[in-house]
Amino acid sequence: MTTPLYQVDAFADRVFEGNPAAVVPLKEWLPDEAMQSLAAENNLAETAFFVPEGEGFHLRWFTPTVEAELCGHATLATSHVLYTHLGYDAPRISFRTRSGELIVTREGDKYAMDFPAATPRPMPEPAGLADALGIKPRIYVRTPNVMAVFDSADEVRALKPDFAALKRILTPFNAVLIVSAEAEEGSEFDFVSRVFAPAHGIDEDPVTGSSYCTSVPYWAKKLGKPDLVARQVSARGGTVWCTDAGERVIIRGRCVDYLKGEFSL
């Protein structure tokens, strides 16, 4: 059996920016072991697999080591493949996922994802986390993930974490670590962030759509406005346009094709 495979740079304006995801359209599910092996072989932060279901699609995401509960950039990449390569032309796409129904629409040259918001609440400093980061954050907040808020964007850019220590600390939380700060005065962005996920097999994720379920409600309240433009300041970097919609977060980005291939099992 030969199956197509696309690699897409999500949250990107050009190749080698944003977060690369593999997208595999299927007519029916492969065994879980095969999908996990393919994700490990691709060795990207996420490989997305989807099958038609009713008027929409059933979507699943795999890191190189585990099946993910929620992934933004691979959902964005899947939407791009459907609209750009597979002839999908309905005004919206409905995905059934482990995190419930996710809706994606086209807005000009961007794709807009309707994701569940995660209300961040203050939490005590996890033991050893500031030492693992090398700089002490101003505050920690908790959703399903952990977010450390810093005083300046430069502090976020300068972080050089001890990933082995981060993995030991974050594994009991089963969480990724979002580090974030308000952007500099006069910047075109409202806030910046980075995301570390060594407990999930990824030291630093280039641009993490699902992290904005946590950071957008926080910064919308902090900055007093619902519409925000964020920059993930990883080495690859990527821009995310966001809206705080109460119990939902709208997360927007562009996609760029990197390659199209096929594999045989």
Side-chain angles (χ1 to χ4, degrees):
M1 179 181 71
T2 300
T3 303
L5 183 150
Y6 301 83
Q7 187 170 322
V8 175
D9 289 338
F11 298 111
D13 292 318
R14 60 190 67 85
V15 291
F16 311 128
E17 187 181 56
N19 201 349
V23 179
V24 180
L26 297 170
K27 294 180 181 178
E28 58 185 23
W29 291 117
L30 300 172
D32 286 6
E33 296 80 4
M35 291 189 288
Q36 186 64 74
S37 294
L38 281 165
E41 184 76 9
N42 291 333
N43 199 31
L44 299 171
E46 230 85 25
T47 296
F49 300 86
F50 68 91
V51 298
E53 184 177 274
E55 297 183 357
F57 302 90
H58 187 178
L59 175 64
R60 297 170 69 183
W61 313 278
F62 288 79
T63 78
T65 58
V66 297
E67 183 171 2
E69 293 293 322
L70 180 63
C71 180
H73 83 280
T75 302
L76 205 74
T78 301
S79 304
H80 174 75
V81 167
L82 280 162
Y83 276 120
T84 304
H85 298 289
L86 300 182
Y88 189 85
D89 61 0
R92 69 178 212 162
I93 307 174
S94 173
F95 292 113
R96 184 169 73 84
T97 78
R98 282 187 163 193
S99 292
E101 184 185 26
L102 303 178
I103 301 297
V104 181
T105 58
R106 280 184 113 165
E107 295 184 2
D109 63 350
K110 302 182 186 73
Y111 304 96
M113 304 185 295
D114 183 335
F115 273 25
T119 303
R121 304 186 185 283
M123 67 177 292
E125 178 181 323
L129 188 51
D131 289 337
L133 290 171
I135 307 174
K136 186 175 178 63
R138 173 159 43 91
I139 188 175
Y140 292 96
V141 298
R142 180 84 162 105
T143 60
N145 295 312
V146 176
M147 186 166 79
V149 180
F150 287 82
D151 289 323
S152 73
D154 283 342
E155 287 181 321
V156 171
R157 293 187 185 96
L159 289 172
K160 296 180 179 178
D162 179 338
F163 289 112
L166 279 187
K167 183 175 182 178
R168 290 194 300 272
I169 295 163
L170 293 172
T171 295
F173 291 94
N174 190 31
V176 305
L177 175 66
I178 305 160
V179 295
S180 191
E182 185 175 355
E184 300 90 344
E185 186 175 352
S187 171
E188 63 185 297
F189 307 113
D190 294 295
F191 68 94
V192 304
S193 63
R194 294 169 69 185
V195 174
F196 307 122
H200 296 263
I202 305 160
D203 282 347
E204 180 166 5
D205 197 37
V207 188
T208 315
S210 60
S211 72
Y212 295 91
C213 297
T214 295
S215 57
V216 168
Y218 177 87
W219 288 112
K221 182 177 180 180
K222 186 77 173 175
L223 299 178
K225 58 180 183 178
D227 295 313
L228 303 163
V229 183
R231 182 73 180 176
Q232 199 149 328
V233 290
S234 63
R236 291 176 63 99
T239 301
V240 185
W241 292 262
C242 315
T243 299
D244 178 20
E247 294 184 357
R248 309 293 293 182
V249 174
I250 311 302
I251 304 163
R252 304 174 184 86
R254 299 187 179 105
C255 288
V256 179
D257 290 322
Y258 177 66
L259 63 82
K260 177 185 176 182
E262 58 185 25
F263 64 90
S264 298
L265 287 180

